[in-house]
Amino acid sequence: METSYTIKEHTLPIIPLRGLSVFPYMVLHFDVGREKSINALEDAMVDEQLIFLTSQKEAEIDIPTVDDFYHVGTICKIKQMLKLPGDTIRVLVEGLSRAKIKEIIQEEPYYKAVLEEAIYDVESEKDKELEALMRSVLDTFEEYINIGNKISPEILLTLSDMTDPNRFVDTISANMVLKPSQKQEILEIFEPKERLEKIYKLLLEEIEVLEIEKKIGLRVKKQINKVQKEYYLREQLKAIQRELGEDEESLDELEQYRKKLQKLKVKPEIKDKISKEIDRLSRMSPSSAEGVVVRNYIDTIFSLPWDKESKEKLDIKEGRKILDEDHYGLEKVKERILEYLAIRKLSKSMKGPILCLVGPPGVGKTSIAKSIARALNRQFVRVSLGGVRDEAEIRGHRRTYIGAIPGRIINAIKEVGTKNPVLLFDEIDKMASDFRGDPASAMLEVLDPEQNKEFTDHYLEIPFDLSKVLFVTTANSLSTIPRPLLDRMEVIEVSGYTEEEKVKITTRYLLPKQIKEHGLKEDFLKISEETIKDIISYYTRESGVRNLERKIGQVCRKAATRYVENPNLKMIRVNKNNLEKYLGKPIFKFQMAKEKPEIGIVTGLAWTSVGGDTLSIEVTPMKGNGKLVLTGQLGDVMKESAKAGISYIRSTCEKYNINPDFYKELDIHIHIPEGAIPKDGPSAGITMCSAVISALSKIPVDSTVAMTGEVTLRGRVLPVGGIKEKVLAAYRAGIRKVLLPEDNKRDLEEIPENVKKKMEFVIVKSMDEVLEHALVRNGEKIED
């Protein structure tokens, strides 16, 4: 192809444009506001209405210098000018041809330059290559329009009729979405063929980018469409539910449930189960009975502390201090708690022990559990098991039942709000079983550290982790706790308090507490230690301090009444002399040791649920035919002990000058006073045997000696329980010599030191040794 061009010079004013490129054959309007640009416009209007438009290199520059705009631009014809408010002029221009600045001849009051315009003469009909290039560009531009959807397809009709390559390529350049730098690049190419090749290359690149954009767009659109579809369907559902008379609150509730489910940190299978329940609820009428059941179930699940824990405090010194503050004595229990604290500090993975505190009422078993929670900085929750006879109380009811609720354990966890509380099962020995199941068996899984990690309540039907809970149980007796359940617990015996301990507890805890509760001043009421001992001995008979606290409360009430009647009182002192004014006549009288030895009367020691006690066993032989009469509400075991004792006496009667035929010729009556109180157990075996031997042999028994132990047919003395309580009872009764079975020697470690110092303990193996210490052979003669 033969291409030739001629250079034509123009001297025209210049307007640099911000972020705008103008191509030949292009018609556009723009606003002019800069003073220099307005001056250039006015000059152009005076002359041929021609002006040179070029682009600024940086759009942010407000007052450009010669170096701040491109030197290749477009000569344009001003078609129209319109003044706008605020000294702005809107200009409509038509691009004529490219031009290049040859020389800047003026900078003020506007830019003016000598321009070179290259005018090409193209014989397009002879150039097949140029024609082919134009067709390729047109086809590619059509594809660009179809993919991009940003340009009107009508422009293709205009382009297909064009034969001038200059006009053709500039029209395409003007309509393409390009960066300002790319537009300037095309503008600076004067040769038509070269410009076509450049635009062809740019079109192919843009198509590639647009296809990637389209893929991304389709993917995003698909997701958006799904969301929109769900939104649309939900809106439809809302409309339907409104027509059915269902409110929007239920819909908001479902949304809240779904949000809560997203935040819930549980296993995926649990999430799936809850999600299905929420979906079920969404398909139900809010007022339906089934809807209420499902809603209650979901609320219960969300109210459980799946991942909430109390931060443990593992400071042994602080723990010891807290336990000592709250309780006096109870060293074994405190030591076990401190051991647990120490191990927890060393090993975080250790499972919580299941402690069983066994002891008589009122010794502080429940309050020990509260102190454990305080020492560990954990929440405390109590579950009372007294009288529970339904297995569903522990494991919950299945949701198929009307009014179904979770079991007591899940309820307690929900109530306390953490998954690692100290949970107290109070009175675990008082559980019963009937046709509704055995709650003790249901407790087996709860109290097994290997199983309770996946504890499944019948109501929830999903596992809940109980392994971080520290379980503490309390019982008055181990005899009624099933063996498999007892096997899972670590038994700690909380024995009764000694008199000295009770005095300390009263002065340190009970008296200040009762004074505060009754609204009295701290130093208003004074009770001496001797008076407290009298209250303990004559007004209460218990191992614990519950009744003692009531009696102290009674004294406080009387003191408060006196103060209200006479506000001038500064202090009230309660002593031995005026104690009856506050508490009335003494209720109890301890059976004190007899002063003189007596025939057929022996002091025995017994264990009761309220502590130890002394029993004065009396035996009277009478002429008869060998009957054995037992009175005093004795149980079967005690009766059998008496029979075993009689058999032993028959085998050794010669040693004590007893008539060998006594079992034929005499009736023996064994009586234990306080006949209204049932008594049972083998502990009185040696006591009854000694009393019968004394009565038959007419040898008196030392009244300062007390004894306990089981007797065999051969006269061996076997061990018994409750030694501490029995010894304390003997001490209170003024007895200073106690006979104990050899196997009970180890129990003496539990006896308080101050009691041990004042008493003599004789360890016996056989009845011979018992009688050696009990009978007074050369003593004072007993008159009939």
Side-chain angles (χ1 to χ4, degrees):
M1 183 193 80
E2 294 177 14
T3 55
S4 60
Y5 63 90
T6 54
I7 300 292
K8 185 179 178 184
E9 287 192 356
H10 299 270
T11 303
L12 294 173
I14 302 169
I15 295 181
L17 301 175
R18 285 199 276 196
L20 197 63
S21 296
V22 182
F23 283 92
Y25 314 106
M26 185 179 175
V27 177
L28 85 159
H29 60 77
F30 58 89
D31 293 346
V32 175
R34 292 187 289 204
E35 194 180 338
K36 269 191 175 184
S37 301
I38 293 168
N39 291 338
L41 269 177
E42 287 172 352
D43 180 66
M45 292 304 288
V46 171
D47 203 354
E48 299 173 332
Q49 296 181 355
L50 295 177
I51 195 156
F52 182 68
L53 302 179
T54 183
S55 295
Q56 280 183 203
K57 292 175 183 175
E58 299 290 339
E60 292 80 20
I61 297 167
D62 197 38
I63 303 169
T65 62
V66 174
D67 297 326
D68 290 334
F69 53 80
Y70 294 107
H71 284 213
V72 175
T74 307
I75 297 170
C76 296
K77 178 90 171 172
I78 298 167
K79 290 282 188 182
Q80 192 179 5
M81 276 175 66
L82 179 66
K83 282 200 174 186
L84 298 175
D87 297 333
T88 305
I89 298 171
R90 182 159 291 173
V91 187
L92 182 70
V93 295
E94 181 188 1
L96 299 177
S97 60
R98 277 173 182 71
K100 186 178 180 183
I101 295 171
K102 184 181 178 184
E103 184 187 353
I104 302 284
I105 58 170
Q106 181 184 309
E107 289 189 25
E108 291 295 337
Y110 54 87
Y111 288 108
K112 199 169 189 178
V114 176
L115 310 169
E116 286 183 345
E117 177 192 359
I119 301 167
Y120 280 83
D121 296 321
V122 184
E123 295 177 11
S124 54
E125 68 275 11
K126 293 178 183 177
D127 191 344
K128 302 294 179 191
E129 189 183 340
L130 189 65
E131 193 175 337
L133 192 56
M134 284 173 70
R135 283 184 187 177
S136 297
V137 169
L138 184 62
D139 291 343
T140 312
F141 187 60
E142 187 177 356
E143 190 181 345
Y144 172 81
I145 289 169
N146 291 336
I147 295 170
N149 280 331
K150 290 178 183 175
I151 303 165
S152 172
E154 290 173 8
I155 196 166
L156 293 169
L157 296 169
T158 311
L159 288 168
S160 60
D161 292 336
M162 284 184 191
T163 54
D164 180 4
N166 269 314
R167 191 182 185 95
F168 177 81
V169 73
D170 283 340
T171 305
I172 289 174
S173 303
N175 283 283
M176 274 181 73
V177 180
L178 297 170
K179 293 175 189 172
S181 58
Q182 288 176 316
K183 287 190 174 182
Q184 185 63 33
E185 210 177 322
I186 296 165
L187 201 59
E188 288 183 0
I189 300 169
F190 281 75
E191 211 275 313
K193 188 177 178 183
E194 192 183 334
R195 206 154 64 249
L196 273 167
E197 286 172 352
K198 177 70 180 174
I199 204 76
Y200 186 43
K201 185 185 172 189
L202 278 172
L203 276 167
L204 291 171
E205 285 174 3
E206 284 296 311
I207 285 167
E208 195 177 339
V209 172
L210 283 170
E211 280 179 339
I212 294 166
E213 273 183 14
K214 193 174 181 181
K215 279 181 188 174
I216 294 166
L218 283 169
R219 200 157 58 234
V220 172
K221 192 177 177 184
K222 198 175 179 184
Q223 289 172 348
I224 290 168
N225 284 348
K226 187 186 175 187
V227 173
Q228 284 177 332
K229 183 184 175 185
E230 285 178 5
Y231 172 76
Y232 178 68
L233 289 171
R234 281 206 179 95
E235 287 300 312
Q236 278 189 321
L237 187 64
K238 282 181 187 177
I240 292 164
Q241 286 173 324
R242 272 196 293 272
E243 285 298 315
L244 291 169
E246 295 169 8
D247 57 1
E248 287 186 24
E249 283 181 20
S250 59
L251 303 173
D252 294 340
E253 186 182 47
L254 291 169
E255 283 303 312
Q256 285 172 2
Y257 283 150
R258 289 191 175 96
K259 283 175 185 173
K260 282 181 184 176
L261 183 59
Q262 285 176 349
K263 292 175 185 175
L264 203 63
K265 291 177 184 175
V266 289
K267 291 178 182 176
E269 54 267 31
I270 295 175
K271 271 197 173 182
D272 290 345
K273 164 95 176 156
I274 301 166
S275 181
K276 284 174 185 172
E277 292 295 332
I278 294 169
D279 291 341
R280 268 185 71 205
L281 183 62
S282 67
R283 293 191 292 272
M284 291 177 189
S285 167
S287 55
S288 71
E290 184 68 13
V292 173
V293 171
V294 175
R295 188 177 287 103
N296 289 342
Y297 173 74
I298 296 167
D299 285 336
T300 302
I301 284 176
F302 284 133
S303 62
L304 287 173
W306 295 94
D307 57 347
K308 289 178 188 169
E309 288 184 30
S310 300
K311 194 175 181 183
E312 266 192 330
K313 189 164 62 180
L314 300 172
D315 186 339
I316 291 186
K317 286 181 182 175
E318 183 68 20
R320 193 186 294 275
K321 185 183 166 190
I322 287 168
L323 291 170
D324 286 341
E325 269 177 20
D326 292 354
H327 294 90
Y328 181 81
L330 306 174
E331 297 306 323
K332 267 189 184 178
V333 187
K334 291 178 183 176
E335 208 53 47
R336 181 63 189 88
I337 303 310
L338 295 172
E339 283 169 12
Y340 171 70
L341 268 172
I343 301 302
R344 281 288 292 170
K345 196 159 191 175
L346 296 173
S347 169
K348 299 285 182 189
S349 60
M350 183 202 174
K351 294 181 178 76
I354 286 113
L355 305 176
C356 181
L357 306 174
V358 182
V363 292
K365 299 185 295 294
T366 305
S367 61
I368 287 166
K370 286 183 184 174
S371 295
I372 292 169
R374 199 158 81 88
L376 292 170
N377 194 38
R378 291 196 190 186
Q379 295 292 321
F380 173 78
V381 62
R382 175 180 169 273
V383 174
S384 178
L385 298 177
V388 170
R389 59 180 66 205
D390 187 354
E391 182 223 352
E393 291 270 336
I394 306 299
R395 277 195 171 277
H397 303 79
R398 297 201 180 277
R399 281 189 292 149
T400 48
Y401 297 108
I402 294 168
I405 54 168
R408 290 194 180 197
I409 293 152
I410 292 296
N411 254 336
I413 298 285
K414 183 176 101 173
E415 185 185 309
V416 82
T418 61
K419 66 184 287 189
N420 66 336
V422 172
L423 201 157
L424 172 69
F425 287 121
D426 222 354
E427 312 290 357
I428 199 166
D429 57 327
K430 307 294 189 302
M431 280 192 294
S433 60
D434 63 5
F435 64 92
R436 286 167 289 193
D438 182 6
S441 300
M443 290 292 288
L444 294 176
E445 183 188 358
V446 178
L447 296 180
D448 191 336
E450 298 301 321
Q451 294 179 44
N452 63 18
K453 192 175 176 64
E454 298 280 317
F455 174 71
T456 306
D457 188 275
H458 286 155
Y459 181 80
L460 292 184
E461 294 177 334
I462 50 178
F464 188 85
D465 183 7
L466 294 177
S467 63
K468 294 193 176 178
V469 177
L470 176 58
F471 291 103
V472 181
T473 66
T474 70
N476 296 130
S477 167
L478 298 178
S479 58
T480 55
I481 302 174
R483 182 73 201 178
L485 186 58
L486 189 60
D487 189 50
R488 284 161 164 77
M489 300 186 287
E490 187 176 331
V491 177
I492 298 174
E493 287 196 14
V494 185
S495 55
Y497 297 112
T498 65
E499 188 179 88
E500 282 74 11
E501 285 175 333
K502 286 184 180 180
V503 171
K504 296 282 186 192
I505 290 165
T506 305
T507 52
R508 286 191 193 179
Y509 305 102
L510 306 184
L511 186 56
K513 180 185 170 188
Q514 289 298 322
I515 286 172
K516 189 178 177 183
E517 281 186 8
H518 287 82
L520 298 171
K521 289 178 184 172
E522 199 174 320
D523 299 324
F524 180 73
L525 181 65
K526 295 287 183 185
I527 306 177
S528 66
E529 286 196 5
E530 290 301 315
T531 312
I532 292 169
K533 282 181 184 175
D534 282 359
I535 296 172
I536 293 164
S537 301
Y538 302 118
Y539 292 91
T540 65
R541 181 172 285 185
E542 57 178 350
S543 292
V545 290
R546 203 168 275 151
N547 278 326
L548 177 57
E549 187 173 3
R550 288 193 190 105
K551 293 298 174 189
I552 298 293
Q554 192 176 331
V555 172
C556 289
R557 286 196 297 277
K558 290 272 195 293
T561 308
R562 280 189 64 193
Y563 177 72
V564 172
E565 287 173 349
N566 185 5
N568 296 323
L569 273 172
K570 298 293 180 190
M571 185 189 291
I572 289 177
R573 287 185 184 275
V574 180
N575 51 41
K576 283 188 168 190
N577 300 327
N578 65 4
L579 184 58
E580 281 192 25
K581 278 173 57 181
Y582 291 91
L583 294 179
K585 294 284 181 188
I587 302 168
F588 301 106
K589 188 174 78 172
F590 274 100
Q591 195 174 3
M592 300 306 288
K594 302 269 188 300
E595 291 181 10
K596 294 179 181 179
E598 290 186 50
I599 293 169
I601 297 178
V602 182
T603 305
L605 299 174
W607 181 91
T608 69
S609 62
V610 293
D613 203 357
T614 54
L615 293 174
S616 189
I617 295 177
E618 300 176 359
V619 174
T620 302
M622 300 163 286
K623 285 183 181 179
N625 55 6
K627 282 182 186 174
L628 178 64
V629 181
L630 297 153
T631 56
Q633 277 225 53
L634 308 186
D636 291 341
V637 177
M638 217 162 189
K639 287 173 183 175
E640 286 172 7
S641 283
K643 288 172 186 174
I646 297 292
S647 298
Y648 166 72
I649 293 164
R650 284 174 64 185
S651 67
T652 60
C653 55
E654 291 171 7
K655 195 184 288 187
Y656 300 101
N657 297 321
I658 297 170
N659 178 8
D661 297 324
F662 77 89
Y663 67 94
K664 295 178 189 173
E665 299 168 359
L666 297 172
D667 286 349
I668 296 171
H669 188 156
I670 300 174
H671 176 68
I672 301 176
E674 296 187 31
I677 301 168
K679 306 165 193 80
D680 202 5
S683 299
I686 64 170
T687 317
M688 288 189 288
C689 191
S690 300
V692 172
I693 289 173
S694 170
L696 293 172
S697 65
K698 303 290 184 186
I699 301 171
V701 177
D702 188 347
S703 59
T704 63
V705 172
M707 60 186 75
T708 185
E710 185 179 354
V711 69
T712 68
L713 288 172
R714 303 284 176 93
R716 283 194 305 122
V717 179
L718 300 182
V720 290
I723 295 298
K724 182 184 174 183
E725 284 81 2
K726 290 173 180 177
V727 168
L728 292 175
Y731 177 74
R732 284 197 294 266
I735 290 164
R736 294 296 175 260
K737 189 174 183 180
V738 176
L739 309 185
L740 297 174
E742 187 184 33
D743 289 342
N744 283 123
K745 191 176 180 179
R746 63 179 184 273
D747 294 316
L748 290 174
E749 292 173 12
E750 294 180 17
I751 311 296
E753 284 300 320
N754 62 323
V755 174
K756 266 202 267 191
K757 284 176 186 174
K758 294 175 184 175
M759 294 187 78
E760 182 189 347
F761 298 101
V762 179
I763 305 301
V764 291
K765 295 179 187 175
S766 64
M767 271 307 300
D768 289 343
E769 291 179 28
V770 171
L771 295 167
E772 189 183 318
H773 290 280
L775 299 179
V776 185
R777 290 177 186 274
N778 302 317
E780 183 184 336
K781 188 182 177 185
I782 307 300
E783 293 181 7
D784 293 331

